[in-house]
């Protein structure tokens, strides 16, 4: 089979997308999708606020001249970002627990933490909830990207020369 004959045997992508939307992301998924959008919005605003606060703190003080002080302040920023991810995992587990997807609240936490970090999970939701792994994994990937960008910006505040050095 060559590539051209392979392309001609493929199904209609619009019909396939419609099938996926109705079967993989059913009616109850709207609740989870709204929660995920809110989690990512709050996470993004938190990282933005933390980055701006960190910039103000670093630029307005002599913090960048001390290696020890800059290391400790950056460590605090990292810990605050990690805390934000723990909060995201907790909220997602809370959402799944409220929908009674798993019988045990710990199973919800283990599933969300595995999918959020894209490591995977030995827990498996019911047949109608199999697409949760996609949603939770994308949530974790986007949240980690937002956090990485914020931490990279924070690190850059130490590397830029002070305003009074010009």
């Amino acid at each position: 089979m060559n590539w051209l004959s392979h392309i001609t045997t493929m199904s209609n992508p619009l019909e396939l997308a419609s099938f996926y939307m109705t079967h993989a992301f059913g009616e109850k998924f709207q609740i989870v999708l709204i929660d995920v959008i809110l989690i990512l919005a709050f996470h993004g605003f938190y990282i933005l606020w933390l980055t701006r606060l960190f910039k103000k703190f670093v630029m307005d003080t002599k913090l960048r001249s001390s290696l020890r002080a800059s290391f400790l302040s950056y460590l605090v920023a990292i810990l605050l970002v990690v805390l934000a991810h723990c909060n995201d995992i907790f909220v997602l587990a809370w959402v799944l627990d409220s929908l009674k997807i798993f019988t045990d609240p710990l199973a919800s936490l283990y599933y969300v933490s595995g999918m959020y970090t894209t490591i995977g999970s030995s827990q498996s939701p019911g047949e109608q909830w199999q697409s949760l792994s996609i949603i939770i994994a994308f949530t974790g990937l986007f949240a980690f990207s937002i956090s990485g960008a914020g931490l990279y910006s924070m690190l850059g505040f130490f590397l830029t020369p002070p305003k009074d050095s010009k």
Side-chain angles (χ1 to χ4, degrees):
M1 176 184 272
N2 63 22
W3 185 78
L4 190 56
S5 64
H6 165 70
I7 293 297
T8 59
T9 61
M10 292 176 70
S11 58
N12 182 347
L14 295 176
E15 290 175 6
L16 192 59
S18 174
F19 175 80
Y20 287 154
M21 292 308 289
T22 55
H23 289 84
F25 302 107
E27 193 174 303
K28 289 185 180 180
F29 260 87
Q30 293 172 357
I31 296 169
V32 177
L33 287 174
I34 291 169
D35 290 332
V36 163
I37 290 167
L38 289 173
I39 287 168
L40 282 174
F42 284 125
H43 185 90
F45 286 127
Y46 173 75
I47 297 299
L48 177 65
W49 173 80
L50 187 63
T51 304
R52 291 180 65 131
L53 185 70
F54 191 81
K55 178 181 181 184
K56 181 180 265 190
F57 184 67
V58 169
M59 297 297 184
D60 292 346
T61 63
K62 300 289 183 188
L63 187 66
R64 70 172 72 201
S65 60
S66 168
L67 183 62
R68 187 175 295 155
S70 46
F71 172 76
L72 287 175
S73 62
Y74 193 63
L75 178 65
V76 168
I78 291 171
L79 293 175
L80 289 172
V81 168
V82 168
L83 187 65
H85 287 287
C86 292
N87 183 54
D88 293 348
I89 290 170
F90 172 76
V91 170
L92 279 169
W94 183 34
V95 167
L96 295 191
D97 190 52
S98 70
L99 293 171
K100 302 297 180 208
I101 294 172
F102 295 99
T103 57
D104 181 23
L106 275 178
S108 296
L109 180 68
Y110 294 148
Y111 178 77
V112 168
S113 61
M115 291 298 134
Y116 184 87
T117 57
T118 67
I119 293 171
S121 175
S122 61
Q123 307 293 328
S124 181
E127 184 68 31
Q128 70 275 16
W129 292 103
Q130 288 296 317
S131 299
L132 274 176
S133 59
I134 299 168
I135 302 301
I136 295 172
F138 270 97
T139 304
L141 286 170
F142 280 108
F144 284 124
S145 332
I146 293 166
S147 298
L151 286 171
Y152 181 77
S153 297
M154 290 180 213
L155 189 59
F157 300 146
F158 290 116
L159 303 175
T160 57
K163 292 177 187 174
D164 56 356
S165 70
K166 291 182 180 179

